Amino acid sequence: MTTTHLPTLPLGDTGMDITRVGFGSWAVSGPGWRFSWGTTDDAESVAAIRHAVAAGVNWIDTAAVYGLGHSEELVGKAVNDLPETERPYLFTKVGLVWDPDNPQAAPRRIMKPASVRREIEDSLRRLGVDHIDLYQVHYPDTGESLEYAGGGFGAVSPNATPLEEYWQVMADLKAEGKVRAIGLSNHSAQQLAAAERIAHVDVIQPPFSAINRSAAPEIAWAAAHGTGVIVYSPLQSGLLTGTFSAERVDRLPADDWRTAHHDFTTGLAANLRLADALRPVAERHGATVTEVAIAWALAWPGITGAIVGARTARQVDGWITAGAVELTRADLDEIATAITTSRAGTGPARP
């Protein structure tokens, strides 16, 4: 499949126009670390990235912590032999630091200036580039570990770096030309406002899907400040693809982080009810449930693009045209009713 004209929007005031869907590379990061998706095939992963780019996707989102550097290496391998005019924008993240001697330990949320400068040099090397198009703070600095499986995001240590200090470092990296734009992922509206007083927040990256709608205040803040918004997990880690079932969850490998997450345990039944409710909408549009779930996130005012993961070229083909699916008011009303009746997730059911 080759697509050359995917819909695009300006990413805030960064000067970058991005396709409404981008390739997310967490799922291809491989095994052997705390938040792995299980075993992957590197050749297949590189092929999936190249397929997405050939199909018109013009940005890839990754992070230093994904695969403890392995995801960035794969992204670099996938794109660096492309002609410069055909290379996608590369977005990565900083601030989750791991112990190489204990890869199964949860990474720590650290944004000390010296640590940030070490991380960016490592990311530049792994990606094989001289600058990063969008550099994002992965989580607010707490100085403590990140825990998905436990349902929380760590306590704040007295040694945590204040936001104002680490955001100034990010602004310095931009001024030095090491990065083109800077962003904040998983930060609250209050934290975004504090950062904006130091330097403009070019982009935010919150989680957002028909299941997890809790970032609505941050998206509204971004829309009011000329800030681009790329959301992650619009498919809620696969639950909104229409291909999951309780039986499939039972078959997930033990080293897949999803096996311990509440979305796949106590919240599973409600989430699957919501996914099933998207089927009639998909049928009316001649689309897949996956495409409708992504289109729902993209229909939210203020959202520029959505990060969608894939491990194979075939999975890319399942969502590549989601940005062209235009949900009607009636569609959005129907989905809002399904959200309410299914009792899936949290947050407003409609903008």
Side-chain angles (χ1 to χ4, degrees), residues 154-335:
V156 176
S157 162
N159 297 321
T161 306
L163 180 148
E164 292 80 3
E165 183 176 344
Y166 66 72
W167 191 240
Q168 182 61 60
V169 175
M170 297 289 285
D172 292 344
L173 293 176
K174 181 179 176 181
E176 294 163 15
K178 289 184 178 292
V179 302
R180 180 172 178 176
I182 51 177
L184 291 168
S185 181
N186 300 301
H187 284 63
S188 69
Q190 182 179 4
Q191 290 169 324
L192 298 177
E196 185 74 10
R197 291 191 288 269
I198 305 299
H200 181 51
V201 179
D202 294 322
V203 180
I204 66 168
Q205 185 187 137
F208 196 70
S209 74
I211 292 172
N212 182 0
R213 308 170 303 276
S214 58
E218 287 70 43
I219 295 167
W221 182 95
H225 289 83
T227 295
V229 181
I230 54 175
V231 297
Y232 72 88
S233 293
L235 298 174
Q236 205 63 25
S237 305
L239 285 170
L240 293 174
T241 60
T243 64
F244 258 89
S245 64
E247 292 74 22
R248 182 177 173 187
V249 171
D250 286 341
R251 294 194 303 269
L252 288 173
D255 61 348
D256 189 319
W257 67 271
R258 293 174 293 182
T259 58
H261 195 279
H262 61 83
D263 280 341
F264 291 81
T265 54
T266 56
L268 181 62
N271 294 337
L272 293 179
R273 285 196 296 271
L274 176 55
D276 283 341
L278 300 181
R279 295 185 192 282
V281 180
E283 290 172 3
R284 287 198 298 272
H285 285 269
T288 64
V289 171
T290 293
E291 290 169 326
V292 168
I294 297 168
W296 182 89
L298 294 175
W300 201 274
I303 291 180
T304 315
I307 301 164
V308 191
R311 302 194 207 195
T312 66
R314 182 178 178 182
Q315 288 178 342
V316 171
D317 288 341
W319 52 255
I320 192 72
T321 59
V325 176
E326 296 187 12
L327 300 179
T328 66
R329 184 181 297 272
D331 293 331
L332 294 172
D333 287 341
E334 182 175 334
I335 294 170

